């Protein structure tokens, strides 16, 4: 197979006039005369021009295949680079972008800001609804499981067949866990686990395929329900961060890739910078719904999640976290037939303390000391910064 190569040689201006000089090897190792020119002052300068000559060289098939193998990217790395890419979190401030921003009126700018607050409110509301749905379904399925096992225990205890109840308990838990595992493994493997590492990657600029899709959200919710009901040592808190991020990514873009539906809403927010900010709000809303702590949600996104932040984003994320907590408490109070009771701590539950004597004032000093310790740690940290 013929390959065209270029040989580079230096020739002096004296070459044109027929002068002779000292020979020196070229870059390719071949000998070629080099010409020097003696000027006044005793110094010698090399005055030359770069000339290229196209030659055809015959290359064997073995050498050609070797060169192809060396330049080719390994198959595994090629697949990895195709799946993962970086997100463009820097606005390209070219002439077109600046002209578009200048054409926006003051009223248009205010409407855009209001739209950001509306989207954050929707994110908090939908995240709270998802948390409420998970909590109610888990409670109902767990109630059915416990009722079946209890009836079996009452039936076989008199005849000494308690082992049958134990086997039934194991079988029911295994069925729920197997259903959840099959759903995740067959339909959307990216929904496995809590999803917190994937969301941290997304907030720091790494785009993981299908991590914020609607299908991922559905599979995540189903897997969490089956895992918790099946008695695994997992919780509903971690996956809520992923669920809130998926909700934020879908609502802020005004379209669904999984459903192939475009609602023609919030088209201005269809860029990586805006989507990143809303995903931060969704992660915070998930933390807030899980633990009943709006401030904790903001701190999670600020300290653990996002690497890009601004002051206005803090208030919007806090607003989304408050809406999420309020929505969860409101609908759970209706479900428990105690409408208006907004004291639910979120999805996390350490059980209830039922006692006639409530000496709460005894443990108040412990919380005061703990708060003082945290204040001292924050003061030390701020002094170092």
């Amino acid at each position: 197979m013929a390959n065209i190569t270029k040989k580079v040689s230096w020739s002096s201006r004296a070459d044109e006039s027929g002068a002779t000089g000292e020979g020196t090897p070229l870059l390719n190792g071949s000998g070629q005369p080099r010409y020097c020119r003696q000027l006044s002052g005793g110094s010698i300068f090399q005055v030359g021009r770069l000339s290229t000559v196209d030659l055809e060289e015959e290359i064997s098939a073995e050498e050609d295949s070797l060169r192809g193998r060396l330049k080719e990217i390994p198959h595994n790395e090629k697949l990895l680079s195709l799946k993962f890419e970086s997100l463009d979190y820097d606005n390209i401030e070219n002439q077109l972008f600046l002209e578009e921003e200048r054409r926006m009126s003051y009223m248009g700018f205010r409407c855009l800001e209001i739209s950001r607050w509306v989207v954050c409110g929707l994110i908090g509301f939908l995240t709270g609804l998802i948390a409420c749905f998970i909590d109610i379904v888990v409670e109902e399925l767990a109630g059915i499981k416990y009722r079946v096992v209890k009836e079996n225990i009452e039936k076989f205890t008199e005849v000494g067949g308690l082992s049958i109840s134990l086997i039934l308990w194991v079988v029911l838990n295994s069925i729920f866990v197997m259903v959840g595992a099959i759903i995740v493994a067959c339909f959307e493997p990216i929904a496995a686990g809590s999803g917190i590492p994937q969301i941290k990657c997304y907030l720091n600029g790494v785009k993981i395929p299908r991590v914020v899709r609607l299908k991922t959200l559905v599979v995540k919710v189903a897997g969490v329900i089956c895992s918790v009901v099946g008695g695994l040592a997992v919780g509903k808190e971690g996956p809520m961060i992923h669920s809130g991020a998926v909700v934020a990514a879908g609502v802020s873009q005004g379209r669904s890739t999984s459903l192939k539906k475009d609602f023609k809403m919030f088209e201005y927010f269809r860029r990586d910078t805006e989507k990143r900010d809303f995903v931060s709000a969704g992660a915070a809303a998930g933390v807030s719904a899980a633990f009943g702590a709006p401030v904790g949600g903001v701190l999670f996104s600020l300290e653990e999640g996002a690497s890009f932040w601004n002051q206005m984003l803090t208030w919007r994320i806090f607003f989304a976290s408050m809406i999420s907590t309020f929505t969860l408490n409101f609908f759970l109070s209706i479900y428990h037939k105690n409408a208006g009771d907004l004291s639910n701590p979120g999805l996390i539950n350490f059980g209830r303390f039922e006692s006639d004597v409530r000496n709460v004032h005894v443990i108040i000093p412990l919380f005061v000391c703990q708060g003082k310790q945290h204040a001292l740690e924050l003061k030390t940290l701020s002094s170092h910064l």
Side-chain angles (χ1 to χ4, degrees):
M1 178 179 178
N3 185 25
I4 298 177
T5 61
K6 290 187 177 181
K7 291 186 177 180
V8 182
S9 62
W10 285 92
S11 61
S12 68
R13 293 177 182 172
D15 184 30
E16 298 176 355
S17 60
T20 61
E22 185 181 2
T24 184
L26 290 177
L27 297 177
N28 60 356
S30 62
Q32 181 74 14
R34 184 186 65 180
Y35 300 97
C36 301
R37 189 173 180 180
Q38 184 77 25
L39 298 179
S40 60
S43 62
I44 299 177
F45 295 90
Q46 296 179 1
V47 183
R49 68 175 186 274
L50 183 65
S51 61
T52 60
V53 181
D54 293 338
L55 301 177
E56 292 187 358
E57 293 183 357
E58 293 293 335
I59 300 177
S60 64
E62 294 181 358
E63 294 178 354
D64 185 65
S65 60
L66 181 61
R67 289 184 180 181
R69 285 198 300 270
L70 292 176
K71 294 179 181 179
E72 185 179 0
I73 302 175
H75 185 64
N76 294 335
E77 295 182 9
K78 190 183 300 183
L79 292 178
L80 193 64
S81 62
L82 289 175
K83 285 184 179 180
F84 296 90
E85 59 179 287
S86 60
L87 294 164
D88 189 7
Y89 282 165
D90 292 328
N91 289 325
I92 303 175
E93 297 184 356
N94 52 21
Q95 191 66 26
L96 293 175
F97 177 81
L98 295 177
E99 289 179 1
E100 184 69 22
E101 293 293 319
R102 291 192 194 101
R103 280 199 294 266
M104 185 180 297
S105 62
Y106 176 78
M107 186 59 65
F109 177 77
R110 300 305 301 174
C111 291
L112 193 62
E113 283 295 317
I114 294 173
S115 298
R116 289 192 176 97
W117 286 88
V118 171
V119 171
C120 288
L122 288 175
I123 290 169
F125 179 74
L126 294 177
T127 304
L129 284 182
I130 291 173
C132 183
F133 173 78
I134 292 175
D135 194 53
I136 292 174
V137 174
V138 167
E139 188 173 342
E140 290 295 330
L141 291 178
I144 295 173
K145 183 184 71 172
Y146 290 134
R147 187 162 54 249
V148 171
V149 174
K150 182 180 178 181
E151 293 174 356
N152 194 273
I153 291 174
E154 294 174 352
K155 179 179 179 180
F156 290 99
T157 299
E158 297 179 357
V159 296
L162 199 60
S163 59
I164 299 177
S165 302
L166 179 61
I167 294 173
L168 178 63
W169 169 267
V170 173
V171 169
L172 289 177
N173 285 341
S174 301
I175 289 174
F176 281 115
V177 172
M178 187 177 297
V179 170
I182 290 174
I183 290 174
V184 174
C186 295
F187 292 98
E188 197 59 80
I190 195 64
S194 66
I196 298 176
Q198 289 85 347
I199 297 304
K200 284 185 177 181
C201 289
Y202 189 90
L203 292 177
N204 287 277
V206 180
K207 184 176 181 180
I208 301 176
R210 305 183 306 278
V211 73
V212 288
R213 296 285 180 87
L214 179 62
K215 184 180 177 182
T216 305
L217 174 62
V218 174
V219 174
K220 172 73 75 174
V221 170
V224 168
I225 292 173
C226 293
S227 300
V228 175
V229 176
L232 293 179
V234 295
K236 300 165 283 187
E237 293 77 22
M240 277 308 305
I241 299 173
H242 192 181
S243 301
V246 176
V247 170
V251 172
S252 63
Q253 303 303 294
R255 59 184 177 184
S256 173
T257 307
S258 300
L259 299 177
K260 295 181 174 59
K261 182 71 174 178
D262 191 348
F263 299 98
K264 305 296 182 181
M265 298 171 58
F266 310 123
E267 295 182 356
Y268 182 84
F269 302 142
R270 293 180 183 179
R271 50 184 176 179
D272 293 338
T273 307
E274 298 286 347
K275 190 176 181 179
R276 174 204 67 207
D277 293 342
F278 289 120
V279 170
S280 300
V287 174
S288 177
F291 298 99
V295 177
V298 176
L299 292 178
F300 173 81
S301 292
L302 175 61
E303 297 175 357
E304 302 292 335
S307 297
F308 304 86
W309 202 265
N310 59 71
Q311 185 176 2
M312 288 304 300
L313 184 61
T314 305
W315 293 109
R316 291 200 298 267
I317 289 180
F318 183 61
F319 175 69
S321 300
M322 288 193 302
I323 295 295
S324 176
T325 304
F326 176 80
T327 303
L328 176 64
N329 279 270
F330 179 75
F331 284 100
L332 283 182
S333 66
I334 295 175
Y335 171 74
H336 293 300
K337 298 178 181 179
N338 192 11
D341 183 14
L342 304 179
S343 61
N344 196 290
L347 296 183
I348 190 169
N349 187 9
F350 297 105
R352 295 184 179 180
F353 297 94
E354 296 181 358
S355 176
D356 296 335
V357 181
R358 298 181 179 179
N359 295 325
V360 182
H361 61 277
V362 176
I363 61 174
I364 289 179
L366 297 177
F367 291 104
V368 172
C369 295
Q370 187 177 7
K372 186 177 180 180
Q373 181 66 27
H374 284 301
L376 291 175
E377 292 176 358
L378 289 175
K379 184 177 181 181
T380 305
L381 179 62
S382 61
S383 64
H384 285 296
L385 295 176

